[in-house]
Amino acid sequence: MKFQRFELRHVKLELTRPFETSFGRFTDRHLVIIKVFSDIGTCFSEAPSLHVPFYNYETTQSTLHVLKDFIIPALLKQKQEINDIEDLHHSMDFVRGHNIAKSSIDTAFYHLMSKSQDMPLAEYLGGNRKEVEVGISLGIEDNIELLLEQTKLALNKGYKRIKIKIKPGWDIEPIRQIRKQFGDIPIMADANSAYTLDSVDLFQKLDAFNLMMIEQPLGYDDIYEHSLLQSQIKTPICLDESIETVADANLAVKIKACKVINIKLSRVGGIYPAIKIHDICEEHNIPVWSGGMVESAIGKADCTALSTLPNFKLPGDISPSDRFFNKDIVSSGLVLERGCVLVPTKTGLGVDIDEKRLEDLTVGSPVVLEKYDPLLERW
Ligand code: OSB
Ligand code: MG
């Protein structure tokens, strides 16, 4: 397979309602969407970095920069064919980090290969589920009544677990109220690194609410202190931000820093490293689930396909387009039924991009890169 042309777009999607986490409140979602042309066909892929470096260091602009000035010129320069995903990653290894940028190239490769072999992406990955269980991630609200209202709507739609975002001052009380009103439903809390070890008492109090897990309570780059916290609380800790590589997952599992891992394929650099982390966790009896980054239907379809692998044992943050957006960039997207997202059965990614809508939602002009141009190589 040879890459021939890339069209990079900065796309802005309006959220149906603001989404707030401990690191910020957002009303729009900025995404990098790429159309990839190759000798075996074309496809679309997504790099779901945020527009601000508040979740990890990547941003919409850093993603465009790293793709345009480093990763894509290297791919266009390459004379040999790339026929294996490991080779593709070797071609990108010279760039350190920037996993979300890399994930858009990794997923494009999988979309092209699965389509050219007439297989749905999930089947190409070796998954054999027809549907995957999903939960919803509910943002911080202005008051608890609004959160209870959102919880009720989500349960009525069938979501199999409720995750609420917490931060100091918005933790015990919202959880207590949800338990009181909705009883024994699966609930978890995601702190996005809003606490330190000084809050051990608070986490011990949270043990009383029987949460499925607590996600990333401590530092975004910490693993060790999570192991100290895990040994003092009953609630399973789930790591998100601090697992960026296979080495991070290995360390976390070995030192018992968590009992669950949230795999975001974008955060770890794509489907290939995500599967490696999935396998390590499986060997160590650590269940995983697919996290989300408020992706378009492109990214959510990738997460769906990945979640058909056997160690995805807990509901993922996966949803149809209308969970976050008035207008997504697809003409047909994912479908939610009985708390499950149906695994697309079409070949390749399995959702259809509406190119007119993509054009309408593009900020500025697309950047087109084709053929190797030595002037592109600035390093
Ligand atoms: O921590 O899981 C997170 C969104 C943006 C950045 C970080 C996170 C999230 C979510 C959204 O929780 C989950 C989703 O896409 O449904
Ligand atoms: Mg999280």
Side-chain angles (χ1 to χ4, degrees):
M1 193 277 275
K2 275 193 151 167
F3 290 113
Q4 294 170 332
R5 174 186 165 96
F6 296 83
E7 291 174 9
L8 298 171
R9 286 166 192 274
H10 171 180
V11 169
K12 187 172 111 178
L13 307 184
E14 200 179 286
L15 296 180
T16 46
R17 46 201 314 278
F19 184 67
E20 184 172 333
T21 71
S22 63
F23 58 73
R25 182 181 172 104
F26 305 100
T27 51
D28 298 304
R29 185 71 178 95
H30 298 252
L31 296 166
V32 174
I33 302 291
I34 316 180
K35 185 170 184 181
V36 181
F37 299 72
S38 77
D39 59 343
I40 60 167
T42 65
C43 74
F44 288 89
S45 73
E46 168 170 355
S49 36
L50 301 185
H51 64 292
V52 285
F54 299 171
Y55 167 76
N56 71 358
Y57 60 78
E58 295 182 86
T59 64
T60 313
Q61 291 304 321
S62 81
T63 301
L64 287 166
H65 166 52
V66 166
L67 285 169
K68 169 175 150 299
D69 293 325
F70 299 101
I71 294 176
I72 292 177
L75 294 173
L76 290 171
K77 184 180 183 181
Q78 200 154 316
K79 294 213 170 56
Q80 332 75 292
E81 296 211 349
I82 301 176
N83 288 319
D84 142 353
I85 184 68
E86 198 178 340
D87 291 346
L88 177 66
H89 277 272
H90 283 151
S91 312
M92 300 195 285
D93 279 347
F94 72 109
V95 170
R96 301 206 174 158
H98 294 277
N99 285 345
I100 300 183
K102 289 173 182 170
S103 76
S104 63
I105 304 296
D106 163 290
T107 54
F109 181 85
Y110 280 105
H111 301 167
L112 292 167
M113 293 301 265
S114 53
K115 201 164 156 189
S116 77
Q117 294 185 24
D118 268 333
M119 279 189 203
L121 177 58
E123 186 188 332
Y124 183 83
L125 301 181
N128 50 15
R129 293 178 182 162
K130 294 198 163 49
E131 52 187 37
V132 301
E133 297 197 339
V134 298
I136 194 169
S137 171
L138 296 177
I140 294 165
E141 295 285 342
D142 290 340
N143 57 62
I144 292 180
E145 285 63 45
L146 284 171
L147 178 66
L148 294 173
E149 210 174 275
Q150 291 302 310
T151 305
K152 187 161 186 199
L153 287 170
L155 292 171
N156 287 341
K157 289 204 164 136
Y159 285 100
K160 297 216 184 246
R161 62 100 176 106
I162 303 295
K163 152 167 147 181
I164 73 160
K165 293 289 191 178
I166 57 168
K167 66 175 182 182
W170 180 269
D171 40 39
I172 298 223
E173 226 18 61
I175 292 170
R176 190 199 309 282
Q177 295 299 330
I178 292 182
R179 265 280 171 264
K180 193 167 150 213
Q181 181 144 345
F182 302 101
D184 198 20
I185 59 166
I187 309 175
M188 58 176 287
D190 185 358
N192 289 109
S193 297
Y195 300 86
T196 67
L197 275 180
D198 293 342
S199 296
V200 172
D201 280 5
L202 173 94
F203 297 117
Q204 287 172 339
K205 281 190 197 125
L206 284 180
D207 274 343
F209 296 100
N210 229 335
L211 299 177
M212 287 177 85
M213 68 192 94
I214 176 158
E215 190 178 335
Q216 199 71 35
L218 309 178
Y220 71 89
D221 55 355
D222 167 78
I223 295 179
Y224 176 63
E225 290 191 353
H226 281 96
S227 76
L228 301 181
L229 177 61
Q230 183 67 87
S231 69
Q232 296 173 76
I233 63 174
K234 283 199 257 108
T235 308
I237 291 179
C238 169
L239 292 178
D240 173 354
E241 281 87 333
S242 46
I243 306 298
E244 295 195 320
T245 62
V246 172
D248 293 335
N250 251 319
L251 173 61
V253 164
K254 296 256 156 65
I255 69 168
K256 298 188 171 31
C258 61
K259 294 182 179 167
V260 180
I261 287 182
N262 157 339
I263 297 185
K264 283 185 188 165
L265 65 93
S266 58
R267 186 194 69 226
V268 302
I271 293 174
Y272 181 63
I275 293 176
K276 288 191 178 173
I277 294 174
H278 164 275
D279 294 350
I280 287 170
C281 290
E282 191 169 39
E283 275 166 37
H284 291 85
N285 283 316
I286 300 281
V288 304
W289 54 281
S290 171
M293 287 294 287
V294 191
E295 296 92 341
S296 78
I298 297 176
K300 293 288 186 207
D302 283 316
C303 295
T304 302
L306 183 67
S307 300
T308 62
L309 298 182
N311 196 36
F312 280 85
K313 292 200 169 128
L314 298 160
D317 280 345
I318 302 176
S319 45
S321 300
D322 65 357
R323 153 73 184 101
F324 287 115
F325 310 115
N326 294 315
K327 277 194 210 159
D328 195 350
I329 52 177
V330 288
S331 50
S332 80
L334 295 173
V335 177
L336 178 69
E337 268 181 26
R338 297 163 281 101
C340 293
V341 160
L342 308 185
V343 178
T345 51
K346 292 179 209 161
T347 62
L349 179 63
V351 296
D352 299 313
I353 283 54
D354 180 337
E355 296 205 42
K356 165 80 172 56
R357 185 147 316 153
L358 183 64
E359 181 67 42
D360 291 347
L361 298 171
T362 299
V363 177
S365 308
V367 172
V368 178
L369 294 162
E370 56 189 337
K371 289 202 240 63
Y372 173 63
D373 173 356
L375 292 176
L376 291 175
E377 204 174 36
R378 300 210 189 130
W379 61 87

